[in-house]
Amino acid sequence: MKGILRKLRLPVLILLLGLLSVPVSVAAPAEDPVPYVRVGLYWGDNALEGANLLNYAGSGYELGYFDGDRQFVPLMSTDEKAVSMLKDWTLYYVGGQYVSEASSDAVRVGCYHIRLGECGDYEEAASLAAEYEDGYTAWMNGKWYAFCGSYAGLASAEEAIAARDIYGSAMTASSRCVTVVATGTDKVIFQFDGGTENSLGVMPRPSEEGERPVTWFRGLKYYGGFQYTRRDGGDLTVVNFVTMDDYVCGVVPYEMSPSWPLEALKAQAVSARTYAAVHLGQHASYGFDLCNGTCCQAYRGVDVDAPVCEEAVRETSGVYMTYEGQFADTYYHSCDGGATENSENVFYEEIPYLRGVKDPYESLVTTGYESWSYVYTAEEITWILQQKGYNCARIVSITPTYTEMGNILSLKFTDRSGVSWSFSRSRASSILNSQTYGRIIHSQRFTVTDADSEQPDLFVNDAGSVGETQQLWAVDGSGHVQNVGEGGRVTVITASGTETVNVGGGSGGSVSADRYLVSGSGWGHNVGMSQYGAKAMAELGCGYEEILKFYYSGVDVG
Ligand SMILES: [Zn+2]
């Protein structure tokens, strides 16, 4: 990674400054140019009224905030292993969660509190709070306070002041306040209000035996710390603060099976790490870097049952893919079905290292997507186009064009009045998708032919005719001879052994039919690395660098 340090773009350099004081609890490898990642877990419409944490390996929590350099600043700590962060609202503990819907026999945490006084520091606030059985400390915009109680209304808080003979004042917190309670109780541990500047940070502590912290949150385990923000006074946006490597540990087992060879998992780890570096600002408006869904990369925290994925991440720690000194945008997909594709033929942008390559490896493993096909009637295609807003009469012909790699480039549909509609790139594959008919075009690698043709023209990709179609036979790797029947995928013998190829329309030509056969292979957008191809290469003994350099043309790995 050393070579890239002097070529980094500005935002990453700013991040680097944060490395100068690495906190003990989330130590990142010092050489990593992107040490920390903020992953959004719940936000927007999915923001939470209350969010629980439970130590899986750990001994309570430090409570504080993350500063502008993403460093955790502790304010106080708790030995409670199960804590819940709540928006300061009257909430009820129902079914293991705190919710605002009233429930008469549930534990209730009210949002009216008794302020006992402002204090000079935490110790003073803690000792004042300790005089009351329901006392607790609060940090609000840099000042310490002692509070007690949580009541459902101002009147009941005032009654309590009189009845308990407390010197204090009843009040409700601001719309940005977050209350930390012991889960399942109304026992308040801490309140935090950082205004618009700071959000509550929770950092799990190592276990008594010194194990690194792993924390349960909503059925999943996580490394690192958490941040809770009430955007515009609303529910909690929940963010997981992790090192880059811990983030990648939470991606790899969900993007690739832990049963696959280590070198394939390493290729996936470097791809996922580099993708994260490129897309770091994706959700900046919500206060985090990347989300946990497929819009960024699937991230589901720690998989303690996948130590091999962890090994793949640690052994490639600090390794990124770069092209001319910049992080490479590392698209990947499940399987290419025979060839990947130039980025501009699927998306729009021409990216120099995302070039189509014929893939001799993928067919050596079982993908489950070697061959898929659908027959569409002309009426079905007409209806699908109409449903998608195209005012067409009966479709009478389809004209496909193919790329040099033999993948689809465009589809032109012509109706009986002679009007045409053209769709290109990824739209050419998605236009034929139909929920109603249960059809999904799985990749960019497919052909469109006449389903009822007695003598369809057969081509090997764009290479020209292979002749006789009624009696087409193939020999597989074990020497078995098999009739391959109608179109789709055919295994042929090449100089390097057997190879599976697409059979179909070559460089196009209009197809007029009552029933159209759409026949393809592969699953995904065909750009960048084929994950099954990576598996096949690893099984052949290729290292992760070789795998990455095969699928990403001209990149540096290091
Ligand atoms: Zn996202």
Side-chain angles (χ1 to χ4, degrees), residues 266-517:
K266 284 186 191 172
Q268 181 67 52
V270 175
S271 285
R273 183 182 292 116
T274 310
Y275 183 95
V278 171
H279 294 269
L280 210 54
Q282 194 90 349
H283 295 279
S285 63
Y286 278 101
F288 54 87
D289 300 310
L290 299 164
C291 76
N292 59 350
T294 49
C295 124
C296 291
Q297 299 185 104
Y299 169 80
R300 289 167 64 77
V302 189
D303 184 346
V304 293
D305 299 322
V308 66
C309 293
E310 183 117 10
E311 191 184 340
V313 173
R314 305 300 171 201
E315 287 186 12
T316 59
S317 185
V319 176
Y320 290 81
M321 255 186 296
T322 56
Y323 184 84
E324 294 181 348
Q326 302 279 316
F327 292 125
D329 207 348
T330 53
Y331 288 90
Y332 53 89
H333 56 279
S334 178
C335 49
D336 57 42
T340 68
E341 191 48 68
N342 292 352
S343 60
E344 69 274 18
N345 290 341
V346 180
F347 314 126
Y348 279 89
E349 200 184 346
E350 183 177 336
I351 299 173
Y353 46 87
L354 297 177
R355 301 295 88 200
V357 292
K358 302 255 183 184
D359 189 338
Y361 303 109
E362 195 187 273
S363 60
L364 303 176
V365 296
T366 302
T367 67
Y369 288 87
E370 285 82 2
S371 174
W372 45 263
S373 62
Y374 305 106
V375 172
Y376 292 79
T377 65
E379 285 71 27
E380 285 169 346
I381 286 185
T382 305
W383 187 85
I384 289 169
L385 289 176
Q386 288 171 345
Q387 287 296 301
K388 294 186 178 184
Y390 301 98
N391 187 22
C392 58
R394 187 179 196 273
I395 295 299
V396 295
S397 75
I398 302 178
T399 311
T401 62
Y402 300 98
T403 69
E404 266 182 55
M405 288 292 131
N407 297 317
I408 204 77
L409 181 61
S410 69
L411 287 179
K412 184 170 82 176
F413 299 85
T414 304
D415 76 1
R416 68 175 168 219
S417 61
V419 180
S420 293
W421 289 263
S422 287
F423 304 92
S424 60
R425 302 176 173 89
S426 59
R427 188 71 176 138
S429 53
S430 65
I431 191 66
L432 288 169
N433 289 345
S434 167
Q435 273 195 340
T436 305
Y437 296 117
R439 286 168 200 175
I440 295 171
I441 302 300
H442 295 294
S443 77
Q444 293 294 114
R445 193 161 183 80
F446 65 90
T447 58
V448 180
T449 54
D450 181 348
D452 300 309
S453 171
E454 291 292 310
Q455 292 256 304
D457 287 328
L458 279 192
F459 296 89
V460 177
N461 290 334
D462 54 341
S465 172
V466 292
E468 178 61 53
T469 60
Q470 293 300 297
Q471 296 289 321
L472 190 61
W473 301 82
V475 183
D476 71 15
S478 317
H480 301 298
V481 178
Q482 200 180 357
N483 188 322
V484 294
E486 64 177 78
R489 308 249 320 157
V490 172
T491 303
V492 296
I493 300 176
T494 69
S496 56
T498 61
E499 190 176 340
T500 308
V501 296
N502 266 9
V503 171
S507 56
S510 170
V511 182
S512 290
D514 290 326
R515 303 195 319 140
Y516 295 90
L517 174 66

